[in-house]
Amino acid sequence: MSESLKNKYKYDVVVIGGGHAGCEAALVSAKMGCSTLLVTTTIKKIATMPCNPAIGGPGKGHLVREIDCLGGAMAKVSDQSLIQIKLLNHTKGPAVQAYRAQIERDDYQKIMLETLKKLKKLKILEDEVTDIDAANNPKTITGVKTKSGKRIECGATIITTGTFLNAKIIIGDKIIRKGGRIDENGSYQLSNSLNKIGLKLEKLQTATPPRIDKKSVDCSKMEIQPGTKGPCSFSFPEREVIKYNKQIPCWLAYTNPKTHKIINENINYSPIKSGIIEEHGPRHCPSIDRKVVNFPNKERHPIFVEPEGRKSNRLYLQGLTTAMPEDLQLKIIRSVKGMEKAIILQPGYAVVYDYVPSWQIKKNLETKKIKGLFLAGQVNGTSGYEEAAAQGIMAGINAALKIKNKKPFILNRNQAYIGVMIDDLITKKHKEPYRVYTSAAEYRLLLRQDNADERLIDLAFNLGLVDKKRKLAIENKRKKIDTAIKELKKIKINSKNAWSYLKRPEINIQKLFKITKNRTKKLKIESLSEEILNEVEILAKYEDYIKRQEQTVIKNISLENKKIPKINYDSVPGLKFVAKERLKEVKPISIGQASRIAEVTPADITTLLIFLEKIKRSQKIFKS
Ligand SMILES: Cc1cc2nc3c(=O)[nH]c(=O)nc-3n(C[C@H](O)[C@H](O)[C@H](O)COP(=O)(O)OP(=O)(O)OC[C@H]3O[C@@H](n4cnc5c(N)ncnc54)[C@H](O)[C@@H]3O)c2cc1C
């Protein structure tokens, strides 16, 4: 046992909050050998999914794969607790294809807690952190204080408080109670402490739809939504996913003119009209009230009816987010075909909470102001379990590296969606909760979910996050792909080789096998798994595009390599005021990053480059 573990109030790393960010952060910090304490208000609520009972989707599914490659838990826990899994966008290009799984909510929490409890270096404490202690000159984290009066010393702290800081719950035109979620208290002292140590806080809001009783609806009046046949899973290489025939379906229902009439007639009770919520919410997930108002000519809006589990009676109504008064919610729901007798088990509600705008953090998720203080998840202004978990794992890795006096671990935009998300967070201004989209990634053909393991395995192995067995398995996969490509290039079909033939839009790998089936010898490639064949096909069909993106990466690397030293932007002649202000706020580390700041124009970049060149020359003259 390390010296620090003997004293239960002294840890290398303290993680505040047991949501999706906190779980991954605590797990990876402990895995990297740091004595870690996870302090969370309610242990049995660890890894709760307060919104949809689903993990994945385009962008989000990519994040889950990347978390898995970095040794995180979300992918494995999802695979063990899913009740249905789908490959989304399978008819579209490979860059946007992604898995999305329906999850047995309670199982997810239970399995995550068991996973955390297995880690020797991790302790879990049920308490609320009220204060952050930091020493001055330079401002450095020294510990935290809790509501029950404990003072815990630490070398690094990761705040992952989600929607809980100064949170209030709203239904209709009323704040119905203080709380971080409908059935949980919020955290009302920590914001003050964060202000005191120099962080600026602002407010955001998010909302969730009502849950209804499965026994009170007639799903036969809705469209059935089955899962995908075939091997689907988030984690690699375990692939222990339930069989297709054991999966359970979701359903699709629609609003109708009657639903819209109820909403329009009562719109003044909607928080969007009553003015009770002024904070920005996620535009990607608008309330049904907003959809009806904004699209008056639309005759129906889809409602995806998703079970919260095999054992649960609760149905989640995706697409029907609303925080209207509960009696109106019931009227709205009962206007939908199949839901005429629906019973609400939990009303839809909105939550308004404090967050820390993310220009205050660096690429390693450490705050710029306080050394050793890291932020991850919804507290950084993001939305979503996957976004939170991905930041959690990065904050956990970087906190552990800080303790070990090692260089930060940064993923770039051409390496991972995690890199895209963090760069977006710290470089761009966000008025609403940030979520990951495939459209945010300029190199999305390189950042596919099928190659996440190949992209990240070396980095993960070097950090000690995954074992040799996994590294070998992924290297083996890569070898099989290379051998398959070589084989295809040798086979002649008419005047072409099979590899070029596979590029044709009407040819897929199975059709190719049929064309070549009269050969005396069976192709070696035919014995490969569906997953590998799928990747081979993608590499053939998109070879030229992939090459082009790789060339762009090389071109842009020179901008990323042009580092910006500490400079006084006010002294840069010709730089526009708005650009100066944002550059002072973001403090970009490279010209590449500076060029992604919306307020910094190409002309500002040229001005900056000329200025940096002048500094460089004068330094040379000075030295000589
Ligand atoms: C009403 C609602 C609607 C949502 N809608 C959406 C949506 O539309 N789309 C979407 O993608 N996501 C949505 N989510 C967000 C999703 O739940 C979060 O993005 C995700 O859970 C964030 O993970 P996190 O780890 O950052 O924080 P959370 O999951 O919120 O976890 C925070 C944890 O910190 C603990 N904690 C807080 N303060 C303290 C403290 N001082 N001391 C100790 N422990 C503390 C809490 O108990 C909790 O366990 C919604 C959430 C809510 C509540």
Side-chain angles (χ1 to χ4, degrees):
M1 187 186 278
S2 78
E3 208 39 46
S4 54
L5 268 178
K6 280 185 204 156
N7 179 351
K8 61 179 174 174
Y9 298 139
K10 190 172 177 193
Y11 288 84
D12 292 330
V13 177
V14 171
V15 179
I16 308 171
H20 302 279
C23 289
E24 300 290 345
L27 174 121
V28 78
S29 157
K31 262 185 154 183
M32 288 175 75
C34 293
S35 60
T36 306
L37 180 71
L38 170 62
V39 189
T40 194
T41 34
T42 318
I43 290 182
K44 70 171 195 288
K45 295 279 183 182
I46 266 179
T48 296
M49 295 183 183
C51 204
N52 52 343
I55 297 276
K60 286 169 175 276
H62 293 74
L63 287 178
V64 182
R65 276 266 163 111
E66 291 173 2
I67 292 167
D68 184 54
C69 299
L70 295 175
M74 181 171 254
K76 282 192 199 69
V77 179
S78 300
D79 285 347
Q80 288 170 63
S81 54
L82 64 83
I83 53 174
Q84 187 202 78
I85 186 160
K86 260 187 180 169
L87 178 64
L88 301 185
N89 293 335
H90 63 279
T91 55
K92 297 188 182 157
V96 295
Q97 289 177 9
Y99 290 123
R100 183 174 190 274
Q102 296 302 135
I103 304 288
E104 182 94 44
R105 254 171 42 120
D106 294 351
D107 283 2
Y108 189 93
Q109 286 174 239
K110 237 175 31 210
I111 299 169
M112 182 61 86
L113 184 57
E114 281 162 13
T115 308
L116 296 182
K117 280 185 173 168
K118 280 185 198 146
L119 292 159
K120 287 201 183 83
K121 289 271 185 179
L122 176 63
K123 294 272 174 286
I124 305 175
L125 172 72
E126 190 164 271
D127 206 339
E128 182 188 325
V129 171
T130 51
D131 290 282
I132 301 289
D133 288 341
N136 284 327
N137 298 328
K139 262 202 172 146
T140 309
I141 198 85
T142 56
V144 303
K145 289 195 193 88
T146 73
K147 203 169 187 172
S148 73
K150 292 186 179 67
R151 162 87 173 75
I152 303 154
E153 282 176 39
C154 61
T157 295
I158 306 170
I159 301 182
T160 69
T161 44
T163 54
F164 283 70
L165 295 185
N166 275 342
K168 52 190 185 191
I169 305 279
I170 291 161
I171 298 183
D173 51 2
K174 287 191 200 75
I175 297 170
I176 60 151
R177 62 182 286 263
K178 284 169 110 189
R181 293 178 194 139
I182 191 109
D183 52 353
E184 285 175 80
N185 291 329
S187 173
Y188 299 96
Q189 295 179 49
L190 195 54
S191 286
N192 259 348
S193 174
L194 296 181
N195 276 148
K196 272 192 208 148
I197 56 172
L199 294 178
K200 290 202 165 57
L201 274 68
E202 288 178 17
K203 285 189 187 296
L204 281 173
Q205 65 93 2
T206 186
T208 193
R211 312 302 197 269
I212 56 173
D213 191 338
K214 192 157 65 182
K215 286 182 283 182
S216 68
V217 298
D218 183 356
C219 293
S220 68
K221 292 185 180 168
M222 306 170 194
E223 289 171 30
I224 194 156
Q225 300 272 296
T228 299
K229 277 187 185 160
C232 306
S233 72
F234 288 116
S235 63
F236 181 91
E238 289 75 6
R239 311 266 187 254
E240 285 168 3
V241 176
I242 57 166
K243 297 259 178 322
Y244 173 73
N245 58 8
K246 297 225 172 102
Q247 295 186 21
I248 62 172
C250 298
W251 296 274
L252 176 59
Y254 292 95
T255 60
N256 54 51
K258 190 175 164 196
T259 323
H260 301 179
K261 190 164 177 266
I262 298 168
I263 292 170
N264 279 322
E265 282 175 0
N266 294 285
I267 198 68
N268 288 339
Y269 294 103
S270 162
I272 64 166
K273 281 276 172 185
S274 70
I276 186 132
I277 297 179
E278 288 171 349
E279 294 75 15
H280 292 280
R283 224 177 341 157
H284 59 265
C285 200
S287 65
I288 187 66
D289 336 349
R290 198 175 287 281
K291 283 190 278 192
V292 168
V293 170
N294 288 357
F295 304 100
N297 297 328
K298 236 184 150 175
E299 285 188 354
R300 63 179 198 175
H301 294 277
I303 305 166
F304 293 92
V305 182
E306 304 179 349
E308 288 198 352
R310 208 184 293 276
K311 300 170 231 163
S312 167
N313 267 345
R314 286 162 50 113
L315 292 176
Y316 172 90
L317 303 179
Q318 198 206 124
L320 210 67
T321 296
T322 181
M324 289 267 225
E326 194 173 339
D327 56 334
L328 287 173
Q329 292 189 24
L330 190 63
K331 273 194 185 167
I332 293 168
I333 293 168
R334 287 191 172 175
S335 69
V336 175
K337 200 168 148 191
M339 300 185 194
E340 295 82 355
K341 293 181 184 158
I343 293 170
I344 293 183
L345 296 178
Q346 178 190 299
Y349 67 95
V351 58
V352 175
Y353 55 93
D354 288 352
Y355 79 106
V356 181
S358 48
W359 53 265
Q360 297 170 87
I361 50 173
K362 299 187 281 186
K363 279 204 167 187
N364 63 347
L365 299 183
E366 188 181 18
T367 55
K368 289 175 184 166
K369 279 224 163 117
I370 304 111
K371 283 182 191 296
L373 180 63
F374 294 79
L375 301 177
Q378 194 112 356
V379 72
N380 276 339
T382 60
S383 162
Y385 316 131
E386 304 82 352
E387 286 83 350
Q391 291 168 68
I393 198 160
M394 291 301 282
I397 293 171
N398 278 305
L401 290 172
K402 183 108 201 165
I403 296 292
K404 294 164 188 243
N405 283 323
K406 290 199 174 151
K407 265 185 17 203
F409 175 59
I410 310 288
L411 286 169
N412 295 322
R413 297 182 71 92
N414 60 335
Q415 290 175 302
Y417 268 87
I418 296 180
V420 173
M421 171 178 69
I422 294 178
D423 187 63
D424 278 354
L425 275 178
I426 64 171
T427 309
K428 296 174 184 168
K429 266 202 165 155
H430 304 281
K431 284 200 181 127
E432 56 181 281
Y434 175 93
R435 74 155 280 186
V436 157
Y437 288 102
T438 46
S439 57
E442 60 276 43
Y443 308 120
R444 57 185 165 274
L445 265 178
L446 306 182
L447 306 183
R448 306 180 313 271
Q449 70 163 13
D450 59 273
N451 71 354
D453 42 13
E454 296 157 55
R455 287 187 268 124
L456 299 178
I457 187 63
D458 288 337
L459 297 169
F461 182 72
N462 292 341
L463 283 168
L465 301 172
V466 295
D467 59 18
K468 187 101 193 179
K469 197 172 138 209
R470 176 173 268 211
K471 183 171 156 64
L472 289 176
I474 292 164
E475 281 171 0
N476 195 21
K477 175 189 162 197
R478 186 66 240 179
K479 264 187 215 149
K480 284 182 183 163
I481 291 172
D482 290 343
T483 315
I485 294 174
K486 272 188 201 143
E487 189 182 21
L488 288 176
K489 284 187 175 169
K490 276 189 202 149
I491 298 163
K492 285 269 172 277
I493 302 174
N494 302 329
S495 59
K496 283 190 162 191
N497 66 36
W499 173 254
S500 310
Y501 210 74
L502 191 52
K503 289 178 189 288
R504 294 185 179 184
E506 73 282 9
I507 299 293
N508 63 27
I509 201 113
Q510 295 306 332
K511 279 193 186 156
L512 189 81
F513 292 159
K514 277 191 193 142
I515 295 168
T516 57
K517 86 167 185 277
N518 293 332
R519 296 171 67 88
T520 43
K521 255 169 88 186
K522 202 176 164 200
L523 302 182
K524 275 195 211 139
I525 178 176
E526 287 183 61
S527 60
L528 294 177
S529 69
E530 199 177 321
E531 185 197 6
I532 292 183
L533 292 178
N534 178 40
E535 194 170 335
V536 170
E537 191 176 321
I538 291 170
L539 292 172
K541 290 214 182 309
Y542 294 88
E543 186 180 27
D544 297 340
Y545 299 100
I546 290 172
K547 271 193 188 144
R548 232 173 283 157
Q549 289 209 340
E550 282 167 349
Q551 282 159 4
T552 316
V553 169
I554 294 169
K555 222 170 79 192
N556 289 345
I557 275 178
S558 64
L559 290 180
E560 301 301 326
N561 286 343
K562 279 205 172 77
K563 299 292 174 212
I564 305 180
K566 253 192 186 165
I567 54 172
N568 174 4
Y569 286 102
D570 286 325
S571 69
V572 182
L575 210 53
K576 281 196 301 301
F577 177 75
V578 49
K580 273 184 194 167
E581 290 306 297
R582 281 293 284 147
L583 286 162
K584 283 194 279 184
E585 210 168 65
V586 176
K587 299 189 182 70
I589 56 170
S590 67
I591 289 290
Q593 191 190 352
S595 68
R596 289 190 292 276
I597 301 174
E599 295 81 359
V600 177
T601 63
D604 293 320
I605 292 292
T606 309
T607 309
L608 201 53
L609 281 168
I610 294 169
F611 181 79
L612 292 178
E613 193 52 40
K614 271 189 191 155
I615 299 184
K616 216 164 112 188
R617 274 203 219 131
S618 65
Q619 278 170 347
K620 266 191 200 156
I621 294 167
F622 193 64
K623 269 186 202 156
S624 60

